[in-house]
Amino acid sequence: MRPARSTLSDGVTVSNVPLVDLGWQQREIADEVATGFARVLDDTSFIGGRDVAEFETAFAEFVGVDHCVGVANGTDALEIALRGLGVGIGDEVVVPANTFVATAEAVARVGASLVLVDVDDDRLLMSPDAVEKAVTDRTRAVIPVHLYGQCAPVDEIQARLEGLGIPIVEDAAQSQGSTHHGKPAGSLADVAATSFYPGKNLGAYGDAGAVLTRDADLARTMRLLSQHGSEVRYEHEIVGFNSRLDTLQAVVLRAKLARLSGWNQLRRDAADRYAQLLADVPDVRVPVTADGNVHVWHLYVVRVPRRHEVLAGLQQRGVGAAIHYPHPVHLHPAFAYLGHGPGAFPVAEAAADEILIPLPAERPALDGD
Ligand SMILES: Cc1ncc(COP(=O)(O)O)c(C=O)c1O
């Protein structure tokens, strides 16, 4: 269905294009979700059980790793990955300045020192040069963020860390289904954390997340951490906490996972159209896909001067738009303790002043819609 349009007396065409529209996904999976929910409610198996195990197996297979542990959200997933690697007080973790705040929060929550680095100007992804310069003998992890739907240059970062024994934690929250030189996001490094927040490419009906790895010992530790350090009821091997994937969320995620590749293709088709439509618009910088990446367009982020005027114009015309993200990590009051003022990470700061998501991903026409 096309967005509804009307024309105001001054000739402005007004559309009704929401920034995020999850209704069409729900309509596509409604029957499957209703059947799955009814089964869980009948069984009263609200925590764990078959649905969680089946989703974990299916998602691990989709990503191409051996182990997936479902957890409560993507922020916990990052924290669990860091704790699973033994990162804690006195350690340094390298994170890009242009990311959602959760990447930085996870580092702070494990008690490690946050070392921010700038991003590259074309793709706004973690810069391997900056990582190389930031590494010290206290660095215990590097977290490249696969931002907006494409993979960070993990292989280049790996090359810069060669021989140092520093693990890489992928923040794969915005990139389910994307690939880097043919390998899926989440399978590129030692361990990955992802989020199934409702608006993600693979979104649940509430908070949910997962960690992924090929390492059986790390997977076991991360599972222990997510369930009070316990594998056997009331026996607690380590200090953990409660961060489990709800069974009802697993039902939704299973239904959506089966359709994710097709939905990602729709996003790619929409992104191609945006690129064509914006090609000749002066001053608009459209997003660049890195060589070797297959993008899944979690967000289509453009850069424009006089962004607030453009945003107001879009809003006046009923086109949902937003700024992801208005501030780089170091300029939030929460991270003022790091002591970085304006100018510390110029590329991330310039991007934060110019970025805009001008159009949401096109939704497909559905039967009866
Ligand atoms: C890049 C990135 N990392 C981490 C997270 C945290 O995920 P959650 O909101 O599920 O805790 C998000 C999602 O919001 C994200 O976009």
Side-chain angles (χ1 to χ4, degrees):
M1 195 177 88
R2 298 272 145 210
R5 280 168 197 267
S6 55
T7 306
L8 300 181
S9 55
D10 58 4
V12 173
T13 303
V14 179
S15 309
N16 178 18
V17 185
L19 180 65
V20 180
D21 175 7
L22 298 176
W24 60 268
Q25 292 190 350
Q26 161 56 14
R27 287 189 283 283
E28 202 169 320
I29 62 172
D31 290 345
E32 212 171 314
V33 168
T35 308
F37 278 11
R39 192 184 55 246
V40 174
L41 299 191
D42 280 348
D43 294 351
T44 62
S45 56
F46 302 117
I47 302 282
R50 198 184 91 188
D51 290 283
V52 172
E54 284 181 0
F55 171 70
E56 287 178 340
T57 304
F59 194 57
E61 206 169 289
F62 179 82
V63 172
V65 296
D66 300 323
H67 307 279
C68 168
V69 180
V71 300
N73 57 67
T75 314
D76 281 4
L78 286 160
E79 178 175 344
I80 287 167
L82 291 171
R83 287 192 191 279
L85 292 169
V87 177
I89 293 167
D91 297 334
E92 291 177 357
V93 179
V94 185
V95 167
N98 180 36
T99 183
F100 181 57
V101 72
T103 324
E105 279 174 330
V107 175
R109 277 170 44 173
V110 303
S113 302
L114 183 63
V115 177
L116 293 174
V117 294
D118 216 340
V119 291
D120 77 88
D121 188 46
D122 277 338
R123 292 148 297 192
L124 304 179
L125 299 169
M126 185 181 232
S127 151
D129 286 344
V131 171
E132 191 171 6
K133 288 190 195 116
V135 165
T136 71
D137 56 7
R138 287 172 57 205
T139 309
R140 292 289 171 271
V142 173
I143 313 185
V145 181
H146 304 323
L147 204 65
Y148 307 142
Q150 73 170 324
C151 293
V154 172
D155 44 8
E156 267 185 74
I157 293 169
Q158 262 158 348
R160 308 299 176 95
L161 300 177
E162 178 106 48
L164 298 177
I166 299 171
I168 294 180
V169 179
E170 294 171 66
D171 182 337
Q174 299 192 4
S175 59
Q176 292 108 1
S178 67
T179 60
H180 184 57
H181 297 296
K183 289 193 251 159
S187 73
L188 304 172
D190 302 272
V191 57
T194 197
S195 163
F196 305 123
Y197 178 80
K200 300 295 193 232
N201 288 42
L202 180 60
Y205 285 179
D207 280 311
V211 284
L212 300 142
T213 185
R214 294 195 178 81
D215 180 332
D217 291 336
L218 178 58
R220 180 172 182 275
T221 306
M222 294 193 296
R223 195 177 287 285
L224 283 176
L225 285 165
S226 72
Q227 47 191 34
H228 300 295
S230 168
E231 205 166 49
V232 176
R233 205 166 198 196
Y234 303 133
E235 299 198 9
H236 305 273
E237 285 179 47
I238 58 174
V239 177
F241 53 108
N242 177 3
S243 183
R244 295 177 291 227
L245 173 65
D246 282 343
T247 313
L248 290 171
Q249 302 302 348
V251 168
V252 174
L253 291 168
R254 193 77 206 279
K256 287 196 175 184
L257 181 60
R259 293 157 175 89
L260 180 62
S261 299
W263 290 350
N264 280 342
Q265 186 54 49
L266 292 172
R267 289 173 183 267
R268 274 192 289 277
D269 295 345
D272 286 347
R273 274 189 51 209
Y274 303 158
Q276 280 166 15
L277 293 168
L278 293 169
D280 299 324
V281 182
D283 293 338
V284 175
R285 274 181 84 177
V286 294
V288 176
T289 303
D291 286 345
N293 272 359
V294 173
H295 210 307
V296 291
W297 300 105
H298 173 56
L299 300 169
Y300 189 89
V301 177
V302 299
R303 281 183 273 176
V304 287
R306 303 197 325 272
R307 174 180 58 186
H308 290 291
E309 282 171 45
V310 178
L311 190 57
L314 287 168
Q315 276 162 358
Q316 195 200 2
R317 286 162 178 77
V319 176
I323 298 169
H324 271 247
Y325 298 99
H327 311 292
V329 171
H330 62 290
L331 298 183
H332 288 280
F335 291 97
Y337 74 89
L338 295 172
H340 301 301
F345 303 104
V347 182
E349 288 169 36
D353 287 340
E354 292 173 0
I355 54 185
L356 188 65
I357 318 172
L359 301 161
E362 180 85 278
R363 65 195 205 134
L366 295 175
D367 287 347
D369 191 359

